[in-house]
Amino acid sequence: MFDDFMVRAALAGLGVAFAAAPLGCFVIWRRMAYFGDATAHAAILGVALSLLLSTSLFVGVLLVSLLMATLVSLLNGRGYAMDTLLGVMAHSALAFGLVAVSFSSGVRIDLTAYLFGDILAVGKDDLALIGTGALLVTSLVGWRWSALLTATLDADLARASGIDPRREQWVLTLSLAIVVAVALKVVGALLITALLIIPAAAARPFCRTPEAMALLTALIGAASTTGGLQTAYWLDTPTGPTIVSLAAILFALSGLAGLFKRRIVGATSSAGVHP
């Protein structure tokens, strides 16, 4: 079964979708979209350093992503607005990464694959790495789920309950760095944030509990990856961008459905008030 490249690609996409789902919810709830973007951009610098030092790409991307998140956390509130700080660091990391890649003259590298993903080239070792990373992230977030929700809802309430909000922030940071490292092969550095945000944003209007939103986000992410993979095969289009494009279409449809639902509820309420 694993000898079929389409099967490997589908399993890799599902692994990333399920790992990204709960994190995407917290990114939406905490308004951390640009934080995720900065971490994803840093992945290119991790790739470049890994090639220059002849080390594992996964380890290099993971370490640089964690370093980026740490620097942002340390510099936050020290005279810079968060959006400014993240904008500077995100594009600086990407630029330094692209410059560093140019020094890898002895190594042949397809930079497009790292920027936009190359899910069709996922091998058995890549699939094992993605599966391990996805299992680690879902286990970590599931273990800290209640504490993460409390810290997201109210930091003071979390402290009163014996929960350290900064510790929970580090749990999210570590989980996000792992997802970036494993998703780089699937959708690439420039599209990772889209896969984190769009399915969660599409699920939000239809859910009343955090658990329901995380589950629906996983289903939308899975539909986006498998459907995008099949669509790219039919239309002969780039796979990573096609996956994100399908997720965007699902988001637009969910927005229209949410608007239609609100109008029906509004019309029903008006009819009840004015018979």
Side-chain angles (χ1 to χ4, degrees), residues 13-182:
L14 289 174
V16 172
F18 287 126
L23 283 182
C25 294
F26 282 107
V27 166
I28 292 290
W29 295 331
R30 288 175 171 243
R31 299 180 181 178
M32 293 171 56
Y34 217 165
F35 184 85
D37 202 33
T39 307
H41 279 68
I44 294 299
L45 180 57
V47 169
L49 293 178
S50 298
L51 292 175
L52 289 173
L53 300 176
S54 300
T55 60
S56 167
L57 284 179
F58 176 79
V59 173
V61 171
L62 180 62
L63 291 178
V64 172
S65 298
L66 284 173
L67 178 61
M68 168 66 74
T70 302
L71 288 175
V72 171
S73 299
L74 292 176
L75 294 175
N76 183 27
R78 301 195 177 188
Y80 297 98
M82 178 57 83
D83 58 345
T84 301
L85 183 63
L86 288 173
V88 170
M89 298 195 70
H91 297 294
S92 297
L94 180 60
F96 278 118
L98 294 176
V99 170
V101 166
S102 67
F103 290 104
S104 306
S105 56
V107 180
R108 297 187 63 182
I109 174 174
D110 181 11
L111 193 58
T112 304
Y114 293 106
L115 289 173
F116 301 105
D118 191 9
I119 190 173
L120 297 180
V122 169
K124 294 180 181 179
D125 292 339
D126 297 320
L127 188 58
L129 185 62
I130 291 171
T132 302
L135 181 61
L136 180 60
V137 168
T138 52
S139 299
L140 183 59
V141 174
W143 173 49
R144 303 301 304 170
W145 181 259
S146 296
L148 285 168
L149 284 177
T150 305
T152 300
L153 179 65
D154 190 323
D156 292 331
L157 176 62
R159 293 188 187 94
S161 303
I163 299 170
D164 184 359
R166 293 185 66 85
R167 181 186 61 202
E168 304 311 318
Q169 176 66 33
W170 281 112
V171 170
L172 280 179
T173 298
L174 175 61
S175 301
L176 186 60
I178 294 173
V179 167
V180 167
V182 300

Side-chain angles (χ1 to χ4, degrees), residues 25 145 203 206-218:
C25 294
W145 181 259
F206 304 101
C207 303
R208 294 188 177 183
T209 65
E211 292 78 11
M213 181 171 167
L215 179 59
L216 184 56
T217 299

